[in-house]
Amino acid sequence: MLLKEYKNLLVTKEDKILTISINRPKVLNALNQELLSELKTLLTLITDTDFKDLRGVILTSEGEKAFIAGADIKEMDGLEDDKASDFSALGQEVSLLFSKVKVPVIACVQGYALGGGCEMAMSADWIYATENAIFGLPELSLGLIPGFGGTKRLAQFVGLAKAKELIFTGGKWTAADAYKNLLVNKVFANKEEMLSFAKKQLLKSERQSALGVFYSKKTMEESYFCNMQDSMSIEKKSFSAIFSSKDKRTGIKAFLNKEKPNFQY
Ligand code: CAA
């Protein structure tokens, strides 16, 4: 079901890791409405997929030059003014779906990650990049502003003042800048090394409780914008929910018996 044919996406699955590769390299993988709708369909299916079948997702793209060079500027040129809200809502909906996926999602960025491309990368749980990656939200140079969650997410990653500086000045960050500013978790010499490391990291979760990964992600996503008291309540609820799971009994028993746990949820 997940692996059906898409016009603008290549979807593959190996060792319970699903790789989504954005596939419009001729236009530097620019995001048009058709592509965003395909991503929405795929991500909706993924959010319904159980840990038995899936342990992690990698978001990447075809071609060396760009991860994604933003929303499709040619398509936006023909978009009626009153359709802007729907277009923004579609991109935002896709970006929010990544946080609903029950397993970790890693964005693997090579080349340009600009505008909507940077926004899609920031929708993943974390970002890896190759040395040639370039990040930026250059929408203001088009007379626009970021519309797929970038005004919020960039500030979450790097802090409000750094985010304002990058957006207001149309600045571009190299992979090294992005790493220094905490937008990127690790930088790699090439795409092959990056994808291989991402897979290894995702497979590590196989030795963890999948339910634990799910509850941690859900708790961190839900509590991020809450005050401390509400965040503690959300954590307490998740802690209590997992406490009655088979995985908790397996993990604690294995520790006490000095054995490796075999988590089954
Ligand atoms: N939309 C549509 N087509 C795009 C595109 C985009 N975002 N970015 C690149 N392309 C196309 C180019 O038009 C070109 O097509 P043709 O060969 O048919 O002319 C092809 O991809 C190759 O691009 P360039 O020739 O421009 O390549 P370059 O190496 O000279 O420059 C670049 C690369 C610096 C990334 C440049 O393409 C660029 O600046 N792209 C636009 C970046 C941008 O402004 N992104 C923000 C978009 S707005 C947005 O994303 C809004 C939002 O938040 C919702």
Side-chain angles (χ1 to χ4, degrees), residues 25-28 30-31 65 69-76 87 112 114-117 119 137-139 141-142 144-148 172:
K26 281 192 184 136
V27 287
L28 307 188
L31 302 171
K65 196 168 170 184
D72 190 317
I73 299 170
K74 278 185 200 135
E75 188 180 69
M76 281 194 292
F87 184 52
Y112 293 106
L114 299 177
E119 292 172 297
L137 291 173
E139 284 89 343
S141 68
L142 297 167
L144 290 169
I145 67 162
F148 296 166
K172 303 264 187 341

Side-chain angles (χ1 to χ4, degrees), residues 17 19 45 50 64 92 97-98 158 202 221 259:
I17 309 279
T19 301
L45 288 171
D50 198 60
E64 285 301 316
Q92 289 177 351
L97 278 168
F98 283 106
V158 307
L202 291 172
E221 289 291 340
E259 291 166 356

